[in-house]
Each structure stands twice: as structure tokens, then as C-alpha cells.
Amino acid sequence: MWKLLLIAGLLAVAVLTITPVKVLVIEDGEDKGEDSKVKAEIKEILVRDGDEVTLFFIHSAELSPWVEIYEVKGDSLVLKRALTQSTGWGLPSVEGNFSFVEFNGQKWMAFEIKRKFRILRISALPSNNYTLSVDGK
């Protein structure tokens, strides 16, 4: 039995060393400095190259659902696709590579964007209702 556990442990170590683990850091709030009682709330999520990071929110100008799908590549997030159900102010109506797709059982307009971000800063309102998932979790 201990040999089986040893082999399983060695396999786990081999997989972790083959696929480097990275940390996606999410800060909620604004750190006002050492003397302030208001500190940024930080969450860290383990990710690997190729993981899909999905950001759901309500667009602040159009008040319509919006989805951005990123891929972890090296030390960056690459925006692969933006999905929306409306057109108007602040939406990528001039982007090429436009199509209709089904996502979570609904029809969406999809824009293949392909933009790389080392840091992604988002200013949000409570009404934006941001939700982030990694590989669907």
C-alpha cells in the first residue's frame, strides 16, 4: 500500500513540475496606505497556462450582460473573446471577427479580440455584479 501512495505522490509532483502553477491575484478595494484602517481585500487563485478565466458582469452604459473570456499565458491574461447581447455605447461594434454563438444556453454576439494584459484593472459599481470563474469554477 505504501508503494502505491509513494508512486501516486511522485506522479503528483511530476505533474506539478511539468505544468507550472501561477497565482491570479484579485484585489477588492483600494489600499489607503500603512496608516489607514481601510486595506485592500486580496484573494489568490492558483492557475496554469491554458486555464480559462471568465469574467461576467453587467455593462454600466448598456445595462446588458457581458462576458469576457481570457486565457492564462505566461505572466499575462489574453482576452480571447467578448460576448454581449446588445450593441451600443462602449461596446466593440467596430471589431472584426464578429459572430453569433451559444453560451450557457443563450444566444450571444461574440467578438474575437485577442488582447494581452499583464495587469487588468477594473473600476466597478455594485450594479455591475462582477463574477469571475477559472475553468468554470
Side-chain angles (χ1 to χ4, degrees):
M1 179 67 172
W2 67 271
K3 288 182 182 180
L4 188 58
L5 289 174
L6 178 62
I7 291 170
L10 290 173
L11 284 174
V13 169
V15 168
L16 287 175
T17 55
I18 292 170
T19 311
V21 176
K22 298 167 179 38
V23 177
L24 178 63
V25 178
I26 301 164
E27 294 182 8
D28 180 17
E30 188 175 327
D31 192 338
K32 305 289 185 186
E34 285 183 32
D35 298 331
S36 175
K37 293 181 183 177
V38 178
K39 295 289 181 187
E41 188 177 317
I42 298 174
K43 180 170 181 147
E44 296 178 347
I45 300 172
L46 297 179
V47 295
R48 289 188 164 81
D49 274 349
D51 280 356
E52 190 171 270
V53 177
T54 305
L55 187 62
F56 298 86
F57 60 96
I58 302 299
H59 192 278
S60 59
E62 290 296 312
L63 301 178
S64 62
W66 183 270
V67 180
E68 291 180 346
I69 301 169
Y70 298 84
E71 182 179 347
V72 176
K73 284 196 175 187
D75 61 353
S76 299
L77 287 175
V78 177
L79 176 59
K80 298 188 322 181
R81 175 185 280 179
L83 307 175
T84 183
Q85 293 181 329
S86 71
T87 59
W89 288 98
L91 302 176
S93 58
V94 296
E95 288 286 338
N97 301 326
F98 166 78
S99 64
F100 284 98
V101 298
E102 189 168 313
F103 182 78
N104 288 344
Q106 297 180 339
K107 193 103 168 168
W108 295 78
M109 290 175 269
F111 299 91
E112 308 298 324
I113 296 182
K114 310 290 187 257
R115 290 198 185 121
K116 185 176 180 179
F117 298 90
R118 291 216 45 219
I119 296 173
L120 183 62
R121 287 192 170 86
I122 298 170
S123 296
L125 301 169
S127 61
N128 294 131
N129 196 24
Y130 277 90
T131 305
L132 183 127
S133 70
V134 176
D135 282 342
K137 300 173 192 157

